[in-house]
Amino acid sequence: MEKSNRVRISDWCKRTFGILLLLYLQQFQLTCGLRVAKRLILMEPGWVLLNMLIVACPYLLLYLITGRRTIAIAVNGILCTLFSLINYHVLVYHGSPFFAQDIHSIKTAVEVAGGYKFLFRLTTLSSLVIFLVEMVLFLWLIKRKIPLHEKKARLAAGIKSAVCICGLYLLFFSPIALFQNNLITWSWEQEVLTYGYGVCFCNSLYSLSHVIIEPEGYQEEMIQEQKAKVEDCTTPDIILILNETLCDISVYADVPESRELFRQMEEIPGVIAGQAISPMVGGGTNDTEFELLTSCSTSLLSMSAPFTTMSMEGIDNVVAWLKEYQYSTTAMHCRLASNYSRNRAYKDLGFDQLILGQENFRYFSTNGNRECLDSDNYKDLLEQYDQAGDNPRMMYLLTFQNHGGYDQNEPEEDSIKTEMDYQAYTQEVNEYLSSIAYSVSAFQELIRTLDAQERPVVVLMVGDHAPSFLSDLPAKEGITDREAEICLRTVPYYIWSNQPLDTSCLSKNASMTDMLPMVLAAANMPRSAFHETVLQLNQTLPVRLKSGICMDNRSQIIELGNDPEYEQLLKNYQYLEYQMLTSQ
């Protein structure tokens, strides 16, 4: 009898050890496709256990439902493997792992997935290897003759499930939750390294209902009423182009062919060129749209894709502002209207006319398998521009041509071939630069066409973010970590007008929130009190990252924590922004 008890205890210990090892492997597997996986081994044990607890929840629920540990273990392993592969591909093509906010954008992701391919690389292979190890453990556990229908064990699973779920609720979702503040602020890598992916994902679920973050020290009485500047303003037409993944990658990496392409843009007669800062690295078009059109920073938002996670109705923005001055407003994008809920968000922002979806565009041609060329989009844009009435016009176009992935064409179709060797990314660099060459010629032709017409018009074209592969290229020699943070978010902007502009209003480097206030000021167009506040901030801190890394008007990189005066200046802007976002 005593020997039998020892055998039972031994078997129980072995089974428990096997299951714990499985849970450890599965929580690690979720991140094995991310750049931080190797360093996660150094994560504090407490966070490791919490991530194992999160992974254990589906296992316990599956066991509670099916009554079979074997099924629960197998299905949980398959789910973790699939999630790991999804995580890797979302990171490669979107710039960050899959978090709760991406649930809102699943339709968008599916729509653009046709341009991407499944990547079978070392990181995906490692996830499959871990899955095989899990299956070996799974077979070993089966051999331990685990009871398939044991009432006591099933009851224990129910109790454990209830404890786990209650624990996670108290930690992440209750009024006294430890993780009420958004963990993913500016660097998902650092937060995943510290807390683990499971913790960060659960926190992102909490953030779905707490999208806008109140800045520290905010009090409503701090906000003083401001008056808009409207004296002696002009009302030229404005054409605003947010160009998909338009980026001079030579800012970060040694790619001379890229620098030559963008030099051609800068040499267009009358063009004023500079650099804007995108809110995200390698993805996040919707975040850029939000910052560009509202001049509000995404630093107060707990997650990305604001058009899908919050209502734009009632939020001050340049569209609604210009309509007060009798502007007719049009928004155009050649992809699905439902992507990032643009059909709803553009309407809420105040656009009079929405031209969304390829079926509503007349011109369509391809560059190999790359479709929706800038040149075609500009033809549709000019037709709509010519058909507008006598009122001043605001035209907003979001392009698509340069969207990833960058392995859609055969190598011989690339018009530009870099002389440098970027190893696995050389072909992607070639296809990307070849696509950018189309953007350069299309913009040159657009400016020539507009230069021949008589109506006063101002054009702003700016990139939305860098390509997703940029952070995988080696940085140029001598770039510091702080400089790299800025370079990876740097995109070009180009301003052109057929009337004189006040170039003193245009800073060579600017945050995305500052772009339209700068253009409005340079063209002496109507601008709101908030636009004036943004301009004043731009004159002192033209570049501002969520991380606290900034660049002042002397091109000196600083960290806000080391400069209380700059920090207070930024807080004043955030207080006003918070009031705008919450007083809809």
Side-chain angles (χ1 to χ4, degrees):
M1 186 70 177
E2 190 174 324
K3 183 178 179 180
S4 176
N5 287 337
R6 284 201 301 269
V7 170
R8 285 184 191 174
I9 293 172
S10 175
D11 283 346
W12 181 88
C13 289
K14 289 176 181 177
R15 288 198 302 267
T16 302
F17 173 77
I19 292 174
L20 289 175
L21 182 57
L22 270 173
L23 294 176
Y24 177 81
L25 288 172
Q26 287 170 353
Q27 68 88 27
F28 181 80
Q29 185 182 23
L30 292 175
T31 58
C32 71
L34 309 181
R35 291 187 288 264
V36 300
K38 293 179 181 178
R39 292 178 286 167
L40 281 173
I41 298 173
L42 303 176
M43 191 166 59
E44 293 184 8
W47 295 116
V48 173
L49 290 173
L50 182 53
N51 281 275
M52 289 171 62
L53 172 66
I54 292 168
V55 174
C57 279
Y59 158 72
L60 290 169
L61 288 173
L62 285 166
Y63 176 50
L64 183 63
I65 294 168
T66 64
R68 294 175 179 266
R69 284 197 185 97
T70 51
I71 293 176
I73 292 170
V75 172
N76 210 41
I78 293 171
L79 288 176
C80 286
T81 303
L82 291 175
F83 215 106
S84 173
L85 296 175
I86 290 170
N87 242 349
Y88 173 66
H89 285 81
V90 172
L91 170 64
V92 169
Y93 293 128
H94 183 60
S96 63
F98 184 84
F99 289 118
Q101 64 266 25
D102 297 310
I103 295 171
H104 290 288
S105 307
I106 286 177
K107 288 184 179 179
T108 303
V110 171
E111 197 276 329
V112 302
Y116 297 113
K117 297 179 180 178
F118 177 80
L119 301 176
F120 193 82
R121 294 178 179 167
L122 183 61
T123 45
T124 51
L125 181 62
S126 63
S127 180
L128 296 175
V129 168
I130 291 176
F131 176 69
L132 291 176
V133 173
E134 291 172 4
M135 290 302 99
V136 170
L137 274 172
F138 167 69
L139 293 173
W140 178 81
L141 287 168
I142 289 178
K143 288 184 178 181
R144 303 310 303 172
K145 298 181 180 180
I146 301 171
L148 300 182
H149 295 282
E150 186 179 337
K151 291 183 179 180
K152 290 183 180 180
R154 199 167 177 181
L155 177 62
I159 295 173
K160 291 173 184 176
S161 299
V163 170
C164 287
I165 292 171
C166 290
L168 293 181
Y169 172 77
L170 291 173
L171 286 171
F172 292 100
F173 308 107
S174 70
I176 58 171
L178 295 179
F179 301 101
Q180 287 189 347
N181 293 325
N182 180 42
L183 296 180
I184 305 299
T185 53
W186 66 278
S187 171
W188 65 265
E189 293 185 9
Q190 186 57 47
E191 312 309 339
V192 169
L193 270 175
T194 304
Y195 306 108
Y197 174 76
V199 171
C200 290
F201 183 85
C202 287
N203 179 246
S204 70
L205 282 172
Y206 169 83
S207 299
L208 282 174
S209 59
H210 300 78
V211 178
I212 304 171
I213 304 170
E214 181 177 314
E216 185 179 353
Y218 171 80
Q219 293 179 356
E220 189 172 353
E221 53 269 22
M222 291 178 173
I223 308 301
Q224 298 178 354
E225 185 178 353
Q226 297 176 313
K227 295 182 179 180
K229 180 179 179 179
V230 295
E231 305 88 3
D232 302 321
C233 289
T234 62
T235 54
D237 299 337
I238 179 168
I239 294 178
L240 173 60
I241 302 169
L242 184 60
N243 198 298
E244 175 68 48
T245 324
L246 185 76
C247 175
D248 181 1
I249 59 178
S250 71
V251 172
Y252 173 78
D254 187 11
V255 189
E257 294 84 358
S258 179
R259 182 78 290 270
E260 179 56 35
L261 280 173
F262 285 93
R263 186 176 291 113
Q264 296 175 37
M265 300 273 270
E266 296 163 8
E267 292 173 352
I268 299 174
V271 159
I272 302 166
Q275 296 178 328
I277 302 301
S278 174
M280 293 184 68
V281 176
T285 297
N286 195 227
D287 292 53
T288 304
E289 283 191 282
F290 174 80
E291 289 201 346
L292 183 65
L293 294 172
T294 68
S295 291
C296 289
S297 168
T298 53
S299 61
L300 291 188
L301 304 185
S302 64
M303 56 186 60
S304 63
F307 284 5
T308 61
T309 53
M310 58 189 288
S311 171
M312 295 294 109
E313 189 172 6
I315 293 179
D316 290 345
N317 66 89
V318 71
V319 185
W321 173 252
L322 290 180
K323 285 181 67 174
E324 293 187 21
Y325 293 85
Q326 285 71 55
Y327 273 77
S328 63
T329 57
T330 301
M332 303 177 66
H333 183 48
C334 61
R335 306 305 291 184
L336 287 179
S338 59
N339 285 357
Y340 289 115
S341 304
R342 289 190 178 100
N343 50 352
R344 171 180 56 81
Y346 286 166
K347 182 179 179 181
D348 289 346
L349 288 169
F351 281 106
D352 299 316
Q353 180 180 213
L354 307 184
I355 301 174
L356 305 175
Q358 191 169 302
E359 66 278 7
N360 293 313
F361 281 66
R362 286 188 58 192
Y363 299 95
F364 177 79
S365 56
T366 62
N367 167 22
N369 291 319
R370 306 194 67 80
E371 57 184 9
C372 300
L373 302 187
D374 286 0
S375 55
D376 293 324
N377 281 183
Y378 294 164
K379 290 175 184 176
D380 278 295
L381 171 72
L382 289 170
E383 282 196 358
Q384 294 297 327
Y385 178 76
D386 291 338
Q387 293 169 10
D390 295 330
N391 285 5
R393 308 157 187 176
M394 178 197 176
M395 312 288 296
Y396 170 61
L397 170 68
L398 171 62
T399 68
F400 184 77
Q401 172 191 287
N402 300 320
H403 197 287
Y406 305 106
D407 53 0
Q408 298 180 47
N409 290 345
E410 296 301 321
E412 56 269 18
E413 295 183 75
D414 296 333
S415 60
I416 295 179
K417 293 181 171 60
T418 178
E419 296 181 359
M420 306 284 286
D421 181 13
Y422 302 104
Q423 298 181 0
Y425 297 97
T426 300
Q427 174 54 32
E428 293 190 43
V429 170
N430 288 339
E431 184 169 319
Y432 176 71
L433 293 178
S434 300
S435 185
I436 292 296
Y438 276 79
S439 293
V440 172
S441 60
F443 189 64
Q444 289 171 329
E445 181 60 30
L446 174 66
I447 296 303
R448 280 194 291 268
T449 303
L450 290 172
D451 195 30
Q453 63 95 36
E454 297 180 355
R455 290 180 63 92
V457 60
V458 182
V459 177
L460 165 63
M461 183 171 78
V462 62
D464 64 343
H465 55 71
S468 54
F469 63 76
L470 183 56
S471 57
D472 293 310
L473 300 183
K476 288 194 296 191
E477 187 176 352
I479 290 183
T480 65
D481 290 343
R482 294 197 303 178
E483 290 170 338
E485 287 292 331
I486 294 176
C487 291
L488 286 169
R489 292 168 173 80
T490 297
V491 292
Y493 77 75
Y494 303 97
I495 298 171
W496 176 89
S497 180
N498 59 0
Q499 63 177 11
L501 296 176
D502 181 1
T503 57
S504 66
C505 301
L506 305 174
S507 60
K508 190 70 174 177
N509 300 291
S511 298
M512 193 62 67
T513 55
D514 306 356
M515 292 308 305
L516 277 172
M518 288 196 317
V519 171
L520 298 179
N524 196 30
M525 294 173 64
R527 48 199 182 274
S528 68
F530 184 59
H531 292 146
E532 289 296 300
T533 299
V534 176
L535 284 170
Q536 292 170 12
L537 182 60
N538 172 265
Q539 292 170 5
T540 305
L541 281 178
V543 172
R544 307 176 295 277
L545 272 60
K546 295 180 182 181
S547 63
I549 296 175
C550 299
M551 182 186 291
D552 64 17
N553 52 13
R554 296 166 296 176
S555 298
Q556 298 295 313
I557 297 178
I558 60 172
E559 292 193 39
L560 286 181
N562 300 328
D563 198 314
E565 182 181 351
Y566 284 157
E567 188 170 11
Q568 188 57 49
L569 186 66
L570 183 58
K571 278 189 176 295
N572 292 338
Y573 160 74
Q574 291 178 335
Y575 295 157
L576 185 57
E577 175 188 352
Y578 180 75
Q579 186 189 57
M580 290 175 55
L581 294 176
T582 56
S583 61
Q584 310 172 37

